[in-house]
Amino acid sequence: MILSMTGFGQGSTKINGKTFKIEIKSLNGKTTDMRMKCPPGMGEKEIILRKLILDHASRGKFDVNLTIDSQNGDDEFGLNVPLFKKYHLELAALAGEIELNSDGIAGAILRLPNVVKAVESHLSDDEWSAVLQMTTDAVDKLEDFRTSEGQSMKNDIIQRIETIRSRIKDVHPHEESRIITIKERIRKNLDQFLADDTVDKNRFEQEVLFYLEKLDITEEKVRLEQHCEYFKSILNNDRKVKGKKLSFIAQEMGREINTMGAKAQNSEIQKIVVGMKDELEKIKEQLANIL
């Protein structure tokens, strides 16, 4: 099972004439980061909600928005009456002194800082219990979303891994022609060097063998096959968090593919290697969004 870091979950409930709603969005990220917006006055309850979400949805960037709407309309803002009266008395007196029209004073006062302020939310015990349950439901929906998204990604990645494995086999038909080409090149150079009596034939033969060993790609093919199998075994295990480990394996796969390309000296094998690299890059793009 794999989980995507991208997801969305929401929950809502109504109690005591109030409607509570929470939305949780998650995006991919190297670390865990949360931005949470709650009504004023939540205090330590906001910390509890943060912990509840992070305990169930690890790693990623989270945007959480909690809102409370009251049927009485007293949920958002309130008027700071003492401050409003103070401003009104002073401005009305000033308007009288300078003979200024005071018709627009009320509207001007409402735009002054702290005259209209957000009302702090004080939740009763039953309201808080409802918010906790609502948040749990939203987290469950977030995890369901991530699981569904992760399954789609898993299917795509497995298909690409199998494509890489099949292209390892595609290399085999070109091995013989590759060796023939290399031998002909060595034989041609050998004929030229043998005409020179100063050549140490034993040393030359040693260098040829060393050269052929350096060009052999059997080990790279075997290791790449093993990496593909290991990648699939990690992909299919029961752990939720595995994105980083899969990324490490993908890096090792990339090294073997690059080495094969460097040793190939054959245009057809080079084309196969390019195809492998393309599939691996698409796998890495998917891994960047896996938990």
Side-chain angles (χ1 to χ4, degrees), residues 6-225:
T6 302
F8 176 78
Q10 66 177 356
S12 62
T13 186
K14 292 183 178 181
I15 185 171
N16 297 338
K18 299 178 182 178
T19 300
F20 298 84
K21 184 177 181 181
I22 190 167
E23 292 184 347
I24 307 173
K25 300 176 184 178
S26 67
L27 297 173
N28 61 316
K30 293 183 178 180
T31 58
T32 301
D33 183 35
M34 178 181 290
R35 184 175 61 183
M36 191 169 193
K37 183 180 179 182
C38 292
M42 293 292 290
E44 64 181 44
K45 289 182 171 56
E46 179 178 338
I47 298 175
I48 296 173
L49 292 177
R50 281 177 176 270
K51 187 176 185 304
L52 172 63
I53 295 170
L54 293 179
D55 284 347
H56 293 83
S58 58
R59 193 169 169 223
K61 294 181 179 179
F62 298 93
D63 280 324
V64 182
N65 186 30
L66 173 65
T67 59
I68 304 174
D69 296 322
S70 172
Q71 295 178 357
N72 299 324
D74 56 358
D75 51 291
E76 291 288 343
F77 301 100
L79 181 65
N80 189 337
V81 177
L83 185 61
F84 183 94
K85 289 181 177 179
K86 181 179 179 181
Y87 279 137
H88 188 272
L89 287 173
E90 293 183 1
L91 291 175
L94 179 62
E97 290 180 11
I98 61 176
E99 297 182 357
L100 182 69
N101 190 340
S102 61
D103 292 343
I105 288 181
I109 294 174
L110 291 174
R111 293 192 290 270
L112 293 174
N114 301 321
V115 174
V116 179
K117 61 180 181 179
V119 176
E120 293 189 354
S121 299
H122 299 286
L123 305 183
S124 62
D125 290 342
D126 56 343
E127 289 173 346
W128 175 235
S129 296
V131 168
L132 287 175
Q133 183 59 53
M134 173 188 71
T135 303
T136 301
D137 293 342
V139 172
D140 290 341
K141 291 177 182 178
L142 173 70
E143 290 299 281
D144 289 343
F145 191 108
R146 292 175 120 184
T147 301
S148 176
E149 189 85 5
Q151 185 60 46
S152 299
M153 295 166 65
K154 177 182 176 180
N155 295 338
D156 180 74
I157 290 173
I158 289 178
Q159 182 180 354
R160 297 188 187 283
I161 287 292
E162 291 301 329
T163 299
I164 291 175
R165 293 183 65 187
S166 68
R167 286 180 175 172
I168 297 174
K169 298 176 182 178
D170 292 341
V171 172
H172 298 334
H174 304 289
E175 292 270 38
E176 185 175 352
S177 61
R178 169 178 174 265
I179 297 300
I180 292 173
T181 301
I182 293 173
K183 284 183 176 179
E184 288 178 351
R185 186 189 311 147
I186 293 175
R187 187 176 293 111
K188 181 179 179 181
N189 293 332
L190 181 62
D191 291 340
Q192 294 176 354
F193 281 117
L194 287 178
D196 188 348
D197 294 335
T198 61
V199 174
D200 185 336
K201 293 183 180 180
N202 289 331
R203 179 59 186 273
F204 184 78
E205 289 176 358
Q206 291 175 2
E207 293 295 334
V208 169
L209 290 173
F210 179 69
Y211 179 70
L212 289 175
E213 287 178 359
K214 286 183 64 177
L215 294 181
D216 183 55
I217 59 175
T218 302
E219 289 185 9
E220 284 73 22
K221 291 189 296 182
V222 171
R223 284 197 293 264
L224 181 57
E225 179 75 32

